[in-house]
Amino acid sequence: NAADPLALASSLGFVMPSATTIEYAADYRPPVALSCGLLMVPHGQTPSNVGLLFQNHTDGGPKQRLTPAGEAMAQRGAEAFVKDFGPILAAQLGAWKLYRSPLSRTAATAAPYVTALREAGVDVEEPIVDPRLIEINQGSWHGHTVEGLASAGREADSAAAAEYRGGSFTAAP
């Protein structure tokens, strides 16, 4: 039941030690056996992130581009990734594929990873752009903060947005 986060988490094999934390249950078993691993990298910081603004799929505007701090995050992440995973990728290059969403902030985040891997001698291909990986569209909340929704008289949206920002994985725009 989506209204009961504990029940939903349990039905998926997770536990919630607190209202904002979700973990695998001790007896969790994946529903299928995977032949590979999955590593996901969030995009670097954007002005929308700094301002706690909800976003939709708008792309390329000044609030959607990486900040200098976001670019530095991507670079540091790439360096750590190459150190930790570069040898694994090099040993089994054919078993790995890089993907990203079509948003430019994911392209700007992926670029340092590709460069760092190639500089380390791991000849990876450019990431595959897959629209199914695009982040959640926060719809009518776009461009607003929780407080901004409240001050616009959108109390129900503000309450749901606060729940979402508080870590609820069932709250939605």
Coordinates of all heavy atoms in Angstrom, one line a residue, residues 4-76:
D4 N 1.2 3.4 3.1 CA 1.9 2.9 4.2 C 3.3 2.5 3.8 O 3.6 1.4 3.3 CB 1.2 1.6 4.8 CG 1.9 1.0 6.0 OD1 2.9 1.6 6.5 OD2 1.5 -0.1 6.4
P5 N 4.3 3.5 4.0 CA 5.7 3.2 3.6 C 6.3 2.0 4.2 O 7.1 1.3 3.5 CB 6.4 4.5 4.0 CG 5.4 5.5 4.2 CD 4.1 4.8 4.6
L6 N 6.0 1.6 5.4 CA 6.6 0.5 6.0 C 6.1 -0.8 5.3 O 6.9 -1.7 5.0 CB 6.3 0.4 7.5 CG 6.9 1.4 8.4 CD1 6.4 1.3 9.8 CD2 8.4 1.3 8.4
A7 N 4.8 -0.9 5.0 CA 4.3 -2.1 4.3 C 4.9 -2.1 2.9 O 5.2 -3.2 2.4 CB 2.8 -2.0 4.3
L8 N 5.0 -1.0 2.2 CA 5.5 -1.0 0.9 C 7.0 -1.4 0.9 O 7.4 -2.3 0.1 CB 5.4 0.4 0.2 CG 6.0 0.5 -1.2 CD1 5.3 -0.4 -2.1 CD2 5.8 2.0 -1.7
A9 N 7.8 -0.9 1.8 CA 9.2 -1.3 1.9 C 9.3 -2.8 2.2 O 10.1 -3.5 1.5 CB 9.8 -0.5 3.0
S10 N 8.5 -3.3 3.1 CA 8.5 -4.7 3.4 C 8.2 -5.6 2.2 O 8.8 -6.6 2.0 CB 7.6 -5.0 4.6 OG 7.6 -6.4 4.9
S11 N 7.2 -5.2 1.5 CA 6.8 -5.9 0.3 C 7.9 -6.0 -0.8 O 7.9 -6.9 -1.6 CB 5.5 -5.4 -0.3 OG 5.7 -4.2 -1.0
L12 N 8.8 -5.1 -0.7 CA 9.9 -5.0 -1.7 C 11.2 -5.6 -1.2 O 12.2 -5.6 -1.8 CB 10.1 -3.6 -2.2 CG 9.0 -2.9 -2.9 CD1 9.2 -1.4 -3.1 CD2 8.7 -3.6 -4.2
G13 N 11.2 -6.1 0.1 CA 12.3 -6.7 0.7 C 13.2 -5.7 1.5 O 14.4 -6.0 1.7
F14 N 12.7 -4.6 1.9 CA 13.4 -3.6 2.6 C 12.9 -3.4 4.0 O 11.7 -3.8 4.3 CB 13.4 -2.2 1.9 CG 14.0 -2.2 0.5 CD1 13.1 -2.2 -0.6 CD2 15.3 -2.3 0.3 CE1 13.7 -2.3 -1.9 CE2 15.9 -2.3 -1.0 CZ 15.0 -2.3 -2.1
V15 N 13.6 -2.7 4.8 CA 13.2 -2.3 6.1 C 13.5 -0.8 6.3 O 14.4 -0.3 5.6 CB 13.9 -3.1 7.3 CG1 13.5 -4.5 7.3 CG2 15.4 -2.9 7.2
M16 N 12.7 -0.1 7.1 CA 12.9 1.3 7.4 C 13.3 1.5 8.8 O 12.4 1.6 9.7 CB 11.7 2.1 7.0 CG 11.4 2.1 5.5 SD 10.0 3.1 5.0 CE 10.6 4.7 5.4
P17 N 14.6 1.6 9.2 CA 15.0 1.8 10.6 C 14.5 3.1 11.1 O 14.3 3.3 12.3 CB 16.5 1.7 10.5 CG 16.9 1.1 9.2 CD 15.7 1.3 8.3
S18 N 14.3 4.1 10.2 CA 13.8 5.4 10.6 C 12.9 5.9 9.4 O 12.9 5.3 8.4 CB 14.9 6.4 10.9 OG 15.6 6.8 9.7
A19 N 12.3 7.0 9.7 CA 11.4 7.6 8.6 C 12.2 8.0 7.4 O 11.6 8.1 6.3 CB 10.6 8.8 9.2
T20 N 13.5 8.2 7.5 CA 14.2 8.7 6.3 C 15.3 7.7 5.9 O 16.2 8.1 5.1 CB 14.9 10.0 6.6 OG1 15.8 9.9 7.7 CG2 13.9 11.1 6.9
T21 N 15.3 6.5 6.4 CA 16.3 5.5 6.1 C 15.7 4.2 5.6 O 14.7 3.7 6.1 CB 17.2 5.2 7.3 OG1 17.7 6.4 7.8 CG2 18.3 4.2 6.9
I22 N 16.2 3.7 4.5 CA 15.7 2.4 3.9 C 16.9 1.5 3.7 O 18.0 2.0 3.2 CB 14.9 2.6 2.6 CG1 14.2 1.3 2.2 CG2 15.7 3.2 1.5 CD1 13.2 1.5 1.2
E23 N 16.8 0.2 4.1 CA 17.9 -0.7 4.0 C 17.3 -2.0 3.5 O 16.1 -2.3 3.7 CB 18.5 -0.9 5.3 CG 19.2 0.3 5.9 CD 19.7 0.1 7.3 OE1 19.5 -1.0 7.9 OE2 20.3 1.1 7.9
Y24 N 18.2 -2.9 3.0 CA 17.8 -4.3 2.7 C 17.4 -5.0 3.9 O 18.1 -4.9 4.9 CB 18.9 -5.0 1.9 CG 19.1 -4.6 0.5 CD1 20.3 -3.9 0.2 CD2 18.2 -4.9 -0.5 CE1 20.5 -3.5 -1.1 CE2 18.4 -4.5 -1.8 CZ 19.6 -3.8 -2.1 OH 19.8 -3.4 -3.4
A25 N 16.4 -5.8 3.9 CA 16.0 -6.7 5.0 C 17.1 -7.8 5.1 O 17.8 -8.1 4.1 CB 14.7 -7.4 4.8
A26 N 17.3 -8.3 6.3 CA 18.4 -9.3 6.5 C 18.2 -10.5 5.6 O 19.2 -11.1 5.2 CB 18.4 -9.7 8.0
D27 N 17.0 -10.9 5.3 CA 16.7 -12.1 4.5 C 16.5 -11.7 3.0 O 16.0 -12.5 2.2 CB 15.5 -12.8 5.0 CG 14.2 -12.0 5.0 OD1 14.3 -10.8 4.8 OD2 13.2 -12.6 5.2
Y28 N 16.8 -10.5 2.6 CA 16.6 -10.1 1.2 C 17.4 -11.0 0.2 O 18.5 -11.2 0.4 CB 17.0 -8.6 1.0 CG 16.9 -8.2 -0.4 CD1 15.7 -7.8 -0.9 CD2 18.0 -8.1 -1.3 CE1 15.5 -7.4 -2.2 CE2 17.8 -7.7 -2.6 CZ 16.6 -7.4 -3.1 OH 16.4 -7.0 -4.4
R29 N 16.7 -11.3 -0.8 CA 17.3 -12.1 -2.0 C 16.8 -11.4 -3.2 O 15.6 -11.2 -3.4 CB 16.9 -13.5 -2.0 CG 17.3 -14.3 -0.8 CD 18.9 -14.5 -0.8 NE 19.3 -15.2 0.4 CZ 19.8 -14.6 1.5 NH1 19.8 -13.3 1.6 NH2 20.2 -15.3 2.5
P30 N 17.7 -11.0 -4.1 CA 17.3 -10.4 -5.4 C 16.3 -11.3 -6.1 O 16.4 -12.5 -6.1 CB 18.6 -10.3 -6.2 CG 19.7 -10.4 -5.2 CD 19.2 -11.2 -4.1
P31 N 15.3 -10.7 -6.8 CA 14.3 -11.6 -7.5 C 14.9 -12.3 -8.7 O 14.3 -13.3 -9.2 CB 13.2 -10.5 -7.9 CG 13.9 -9.2 -7.9 CD 15.0 -9.3 -6.9
V32 N 16.0 -11.8 -9.3 CA 16.7 -12.5 -10.4 C 18.2 -12.4 -10.2 O 18.7 -11.5 -9.5 CB 16.3 -11.8 -11.8 CG1 14.9 -11.9 -12.1 CG2 16.8 -10.3 -11.8
A33 N 18.9 -13.3 -10.8 CA 20.3 -13.3 -10.7 C 20.9 -12.4 -11.8 O 20.4 -12.5 -12.9 CB 20.9 -14.7 -10.8
L34 N 21.7 -11.5 -11.4 CA 22.3 -10.6 -12.4 C 23.7 -11.1 -12.9 O 24.4 -11.7 -12.1 CB 22.5 -9.2 -11.8 CG 21.2 -8.5 -11.3 CD1 21.6 -7.2 -10.7 CD2 20.3 -8.3 -12.5
S35 N 24.0 -10.9 -14.1 CA 25.2 -11.3 -14.7 C 26.3 -10.1 -14.6 O 27.3 -10.2 -15.2 CB 25.1 -11.8 -16.1 OG 24.5 -10.7 -16.9
C36 N 25.9 -9.0 -14.0 CA 26.7 -7.9 -14.0 C 26.4 -7.1 -12.7 O 25.4 -7.3 -12.0 CB 26.6 -7.0 -15.2 SG 24.9 -6.2 -15.3
G37 N 27.2 -6.1 -12.4 CA 26.9 -5.2 -11.3 C 26.2 -3.9 -11.9 O 26.2 -3.7 -13.1
L38 N 25.7 -3.1 -11.0 CA 25.1 -1.9 -11.4 C 25.7 -0.8 -10.5 O 25.7 -0.9 -9.3 CB 23.6 -1.9 -11.2 CG 22.8 -0.6 -11.4 CD1 22.9 -0.2 -12.8 CD2 21.4 -0.8 -11.0
L39 N 26.3 0.2 -11.1 CA 26.8 1.4 -10.4 C 26.1 2.6 -11.0 O 26.0 2.8 -12.2 CB 28.3 1.5 -10.7 CG 29.2 0.3 -10.3 CD1 30.6 0.5 -10.9 CD2 29.2 0.2 -8.8
M40 N 25.5 3.4 -10.1 CA 24.8 4.6 -10.5 C 25.5 5.8 -9.9 O 25.9 5.8 -8.7 CB 23.3 4.5 -10.1 CG 22.6 3.4 -10.7 SD 20.9 3.3 -10.4 CE 20.3 4.6 -11.5
V41 N 25.7 6.8 -10.7 CA 26.3 8.0 -10.3 C 25.3 9.2 -10.4 O 24.8 9.4 -11.5 CB 27.6 8.3 -11.2 CG1 28.2 9.6 -10.8 CG2 28.5 7.1 -11.0
P42 N 25.0 9.9 -9.4 CA 24.1 11.1 -9.5 C 24.8 12.2 -10.3 O 26.0 12.3 -10.2 CB 23.8 11.4 -8.1 CG 25.0 11.0 -7.3 CD 25.5 9.8 -8.0
H43 N 24.0 13.0 -10.9 CA 24.6 14.2 -11.6 C 25.2 15.1 -10.6 O 24.8 15.2 -9.4 CB 23.7 14.9 -12.6 CG 22.5 15.5 -11.9 ND1 22.6 16.7 -11.2 CD2 21.2 15.2 -11.9 CE1 21.4 17.0 -10.8 NE2 20.5 16.1 -11.2
G44 N 26.1 16.0 -11.0 CA 26.7 17.0 -10.1 C 25.7 18.0 -9.7 O 24.6 18.1 -10.3
Q45 N 26.1 18.8 -8.8 CA 25.3 19.9 -8.3 C 24.9 20.9 -9.3 O 25.7 21.3 -10.1 CB 26.0 20.6 -7.1 CG 25.3 21.7 -6.5 CD 26.2 22.5 -5.5 OE1 27.0 23.2 -6.0 NE2 26.1 22.2 -4.2
T46 N 23.6 21.3 -9.3 CA 23.1 22.4 -10.2 C 22.6 23.5 -9.3 O 22.4 23.3 -8.1 CB 21.9 21.9 -11.0 OG1 20.8 21.6 -10.2 CG2 22.3 20.7 -11.9
P47 N 22.4 24.7 -9.9 CA 21.8 25.8 -9.1 C 20.4 25.4 -8.5 O 20.1 25.8 -7.4 CB 21.6 26.9 -10.1 CG 22.8 26.7 -11.0 CD 22.8 25.2 -11.2
S48 N 19.6 24.6 -9.2 CA 18.4 24.1 -8.7 C 18.6 23.3 -7.4 O 17.8 23.4 -6.5 CB 17.6 23.3 -9.7 OG 17.1 24.1 -10.8
N49 N 19.6 22.5 -7.4 CA 19.9 21.7 -6.2 C 20.3 22.6 -5.0 O 19.8 22.4 -3.9 CB 21.1 20.7 -6.4 CG 20.8 19.7 -7.5 OD1 21.7 19.4 -8.3 ND2 19.6 19.2 -7.7
V50 N 21.1 23.6 -5.3 CA 21.5 24.5 -4.3 C 20.3 25.2 -3.7 O 20.2 25.4 -2.4 CB 22.6 25.5 -4.8 CG1 22.9 26.6 -3.8 CG2 23.8 24.8 -5.2
G51 N 19.4 25.7 -4.5 CA 18.2 26.4 -4.1 C 17.1 25.5 -3.6 O 16.0 26.0 -3.2
L52 N 17.3 24.2 -3.6 CA 16.3 23.2 -3.2 C 15.0 23.4 -4.0 O 13.9 23.1 -3.5 CB 16.0 23.3 -1.7 CG 17.1 23.1 -0.7 CD1 16.7 23.3 0.7 CD2 17.7 21.7 -0.9
L53 N 15.2 23.7 -5.3 CA 14.1 23.8 -6.2 C 13.8 22.5 -6.8 O 14.7 21.7 -7.2 CB 14.5 24.8 -7.4 CG 14.8 26.2 -7.0 CD1 15.3 27.0 -8.2 CD2 13.6 26.9 -6.3
F54 N 12.5 22.2 -6.9 CA 12.1 21.0 -7.6 C 12.3 21.2 -9.1 O 12.2 22.3 -9.6 CB 10.6 20.6 -7.3 CG 10.4 20.2 -5.8 CD1 10.0 21.1 -4.9 CD2 10.7 18.9 -5.5 CE1 9.8 20.7 -3.6 CE2 10.6 18.5 -4.2 CZ 10.1 19.4 -3.2
Q55 N 12.6 20.1 -9.8 CA 12.9 20.2 -11.2 C 11.9 19.3 -12.1 O 11.5 18.3 -11.6 CB 14.3 19.8 -11.5 CG 15.3 20.7 -10.8 CD 16.7 20.3 -11.2 OE1 17.2 20.5 -12.3 NE2 17.4 19.6 -10.2
N56 N 11.8 19.7 -13.3 CA 11.1 18.8 -14.3 C 12.2 18.4 -15.3 O 13.4 18.4 -14.9 CB 9.9 19.4 -14.9 CG 10.2 20.7 -15.7 OD1 11.3 20.9 -16.1 ND2 9.2 21.4 -16.0
H57 N 11.8 18.1 -16.5 CA 12.8 17.6 -17.5 C 13.3 18.8 -18.3 O 13.9 18.5 -19.4 CB 12.2 16.5 -18.3 CG 11.9 15.3 -17.5 ND1 11.1 14.3 -18.0 CD2 12.3 14.9 -16.3 CE1 11.0 13.4 -17.1 NE2 11.8 13.7 -16.1
T58 N 13.1 20.0 -17.9 CA 13.7 21.2 -18.6 C 15.2 21.0 -18.6 O 15.8 20.5 -17.6 CB 13.3 22.5 -17.9 OG1 11.9 22.6 -17.8 CG2 13.9 23.7 -18.6
D59 N 15.8 21.3 -19.7 CA 17.2 21.1 -19.9 C 18.0 22.3 -20.5 O 17.4 23.0 -21.3 CB 17.5 19.9 -20.8 CG 18.9 19.3 -20.7 OD1 19.5 19.4 -19.6 OD2 19.4 18.7 -21.7
G60 N 19.2 22.5 -20.0 CA 20.0 23.5 -20.6 C 19.9 24.9 -20.1 O 20.8 25.7 -20.4
G61 N 19.0 25.2 -19.3 CA 18.9 26.5 -18.7 C 19.9 26.7 -17.6 O 20.5 25.8 -17.1
P62 N 20.1 28.0 -17.2 CA 21.1 28.2 -16.2 C 20.9 27.5 -14.8 O 21.9 27.2 -14.1 CB 21.0 29.7 -16.0 CG 19.7 30.2 -16.5 CD 19.3 29.1 -17.5
K63 N 19.7 27.1 -14.5 CA 19.5 26.4 -13.2 C 19.7 24.9 -13.4 O 19.7 24.2 -12.4 CB 18.1 26.7 -12.7 CG 17.9 28.2 -12.2 CD 16.6 28.5 -11.6 CE 16.6 29.9 -11.2 NZ 15.3 30.3 -10.6
Q64 N 19.8 24.4 -14.6 CA 20.0 23.0 -14.8 C 21.4 22.6 -15.1 O 21.8 21.5 -15.1 CB 19.1 22.5 -16.0 CG 17.6 22.5 -15.7 CD 17.0 23.8 -15.7 OE1 17.2 24.6 -16.6 NE2 16.1 24.1 -14.8
R65 N 22.3 23.6 -15.4 CA 23.7 23.3 -15.7 C 24.4 23.0 -14.4 O 24.0 23.5 -13.3 CB 24.3 24.5 -16.4 CG 23.8 24.7 -17.7 CD 24.6 25.8 -18.4 NE 24.0 26.2 -19.7 CZ 23.3 27.3 -19.9 NH1 23.3 28.3 -19.0 NH2 22.7 27.6 -21.0
L66 N 25.5 22.3 -14.5 CA 26.3 22.1 -13.3 C 27.0 23.4 -12.8 O 27.4 24.2 -13.6 CB 27.5 21.0 -13.6 CG 27.1 19.6 -14.0 CD1 28.3 18.8 -14.0 CD2 26.0 19.0 -13.0
T67 N 27.0 23.5 -11.5 CA 27.8 24.6 -10.9 C 29.2 24.3 -10.9 O 29.6 23.1 -11.1 CB 27.3 24.8 -9.4 OG1 27.7 23.6 -8.7 CG2 25.8 25.1 -9.3
P68 N 30.1 25.2 -10.7 CA 31.5 24.9 -10.5 C 31.8 23.8 -9.5 O 32.6 22.9 -9.7 CB 32.2 26.2 -10.2 CG 31.3 27.2 -10.8 CD 29.9 26.7 -10.6
A69 N 31.0 23.9 -8.4 CA 31.1 22.8 -7.4 C 30.6 21.5 -7.9 O 31.2 20.4 -7.6 CB 30.3 23.2 -6.1
G70 N 29.6 21.5 -8.7 CA 29.1 20.3 -9.4 C 30.1 19.7 -10.3 O 30.3 18.4 -10.4
E71 N 30.8 20.5 -11.1 CA 31.9 20.0 -12.0 C 33.0 19.4 -11.2 O 33.5 18.4 -11.5 CB 32.4 21.2 -12.8 CG 31.3 21.7 -13.8 CD 31.7 23.0 -14.5 OE1 32.8 23.6 -14.2 OE2 31.0 23.4 -15.4
A72 N 33.3 20.1 -10.0 CA 34.4 19.5 -9.2 C 34.0 18.2 -8.6 O 34.8 17.3 -8.4 CB 34.8 20.5 -8.1
M73 N 32.7 18.1 -8.2 CA 32.2 16.8 -7.7 C 32.3 15.7 -8.7 O 32.7 14.6 -8.4 CB 30.7 16.9 -7.3 CG 30.4 17.8 -6.1 SD 28.5 17.9 -6.0 CE 28.4 19.0 -4.6
A74 N 32.0 16.0 -9.9 CA 32.1 15.0 -11.0 C 33.5 14.6 -11.2 O 33.8 13.4 -11.4 CB 31.5 15.5 -12.3
Q75 N 34.4 15.5 -11.2 CA 35.8 15.2 -11.4 C 36.4 14.4 -10.2 O 37.1 13.4 -10.5 CB 36.7 16.5 -11.5 CG 38.1 16.3 -11.8 CD 38.3 15.6 -13.2 OE1 37.7 16.0 -14.2 NE2 39.1 14.6 -13.2
R76 N 36.1 14.8 -9.0 CA 36.5 13.9 -7.8 C 35.9 12.5 -7.9 O 36.6 11.6 -7.6 CB 36.2 14.6 -6.5 CG 37.1 15.8 -6.2 CD 36.8 16.3 -4.7 NE 35.5 16.5 -4.3 CZ 34.8 17.6 -4.5 NH1 35.3 18.6 -5.1 NH2 33.5 17.7 -4.1

